[in-house]
Amino acid sequence: NEILLLAGNYFLEKNKKEKAASYLNLVLSNYKKSVLRVELGPKKRVEQIFLIGKIYNWLNKYEEAERWLNQALKSMNDIKEGRKVWQLSILREKGEVLFHLSKHRQALAASLKVLYLDKTMTEKQIYDLNLRIASSYVHLGRPSEAQAIYRKMLKKIKSKKNRLKIEKLLRSLSEN
């Protein structure tokens, strides 16, 4: 499964979705069979259910992704250690899925929780998360909150390209 997942990711990065999908669909099939096994430990079960949701997200099958990520959250009840890490990983993925489904209120709730609680995110993850949060605020008719997010982002951004993008988004909100 790991090799299939690596191959799928490789083709996703090369923008060859059809080629990636063939590998990822094999992983999905294997994981779906695996999570039904009684002897699978609770932590491994959550991991595999989470990966199923994540793969569906990569394949732009957002309804399926949401369903599996919800199942991962429910399955966390059986985990004793490392619950917070799993919960934040699942919520980060779920926030993205909900955003793509235009469920902005729910996406915002999940994303804000992750933003404030997850201290392990990379700069790129924080940047992408903030963009989704600001965009959800705009979709919900709350441009002043989006502007606040963009201003906060400008203070931290090092990349000139990203800085220009945020400045443009901020200007477009100011003009409306």
Side-chain angles (χ1 to χ4, degrees), residues 138-153:
V138 170
H139 281 92
L140 292 170
R142 296 166 62 183
S144 59
E145 284 98 332
Q147 288 172 328
I149 296 288
Y150 291 144
R151 284 190 198 99
K152 182 177 146 192
M153 289 175 76

Side-chain angles (χ1 to χ4, degrees), residues 74-120:
K74 288 177 191 162
S75 298
M76 279 184 35
N77 293 336
D78 301 329
I79 294 181
K80 310 258 185 288
E81 294 177 22
R83 286 175 57 95
K84 182 182 177 187
V85 174
W86 275 113
Q87 185 178 29
L88 291 174
S89 296
I90 295 165
L91 284 175
R92 184 182 324 126
E93 198 71 25
K94 187 173 175 186
E96 183 180 333
V97 167
L98 293 167
F99 177 82
H100 289 299
L101 289 170
S102 297
K103 295 180 178 181
H104 294 289
R105 192 173 313 307
Q106 292 168 282
L108 193 57
S111 296
L112 285 171
K113 189 173 197 174
V114 170
L115 182 66
Y116 293 115
L117 296 177
D118 192 346
K119 304 303 178 202
T120 65

Side-chain angles (χ1 to χ4, degrees), residues 26 29 49 58-59 68 77 80-82 87 90 121 123 131 134 145 149 157 159 165-166 171:
L26 283 171
S29 175
I49 293 170
W58 292 342
L59 295 172
W68 283 95
N77 293 336
K80 310 258 185 288
E81 294 177 22
Q87 185 178 29
I90 295 165
M121 289 188 293
E123 276 186 41
L131 279 180
E145 284 98 332
I149 296 288
I157 292 176
S159 156
K165 180 178 180 177
I166 299 304
R171 271 195 309 278

Side-chain angles (χ1 to χ4, degrees), residues 31 34-37 40-55 65 67-91 93:
Y31 280 158
S34 177
V35 297
L36 295 175
R37 292 191 355 246
L40 190 65
K43 213 172 209 175
K44 199 69 174 166
R45 185 178 315 283
V46 168
E47 177 186 348
Q48 289 183 4
I49 293 170
F50 168 69
L51 285 171
I52 291 169
K54 191 171 186 141
I55 292 168
R67 191 169 70 79
W68 283 95
L69 292 168
N70 285 338
Q71 185 59 48
L73 284 171
K74 288 177 191 162
S75 298
M76 279 184 35
N77 293 336
D78 301 329
I79 294 181
K80 310 258 185 288
E81 294 177 22
R83 286 175 57 95
K84 182 182 177 187
V85 174
W86 275 113
Q87 185 178 29
L88 291 174
S89 296
I90 295 165
L91 284 175
E93 198 71 25

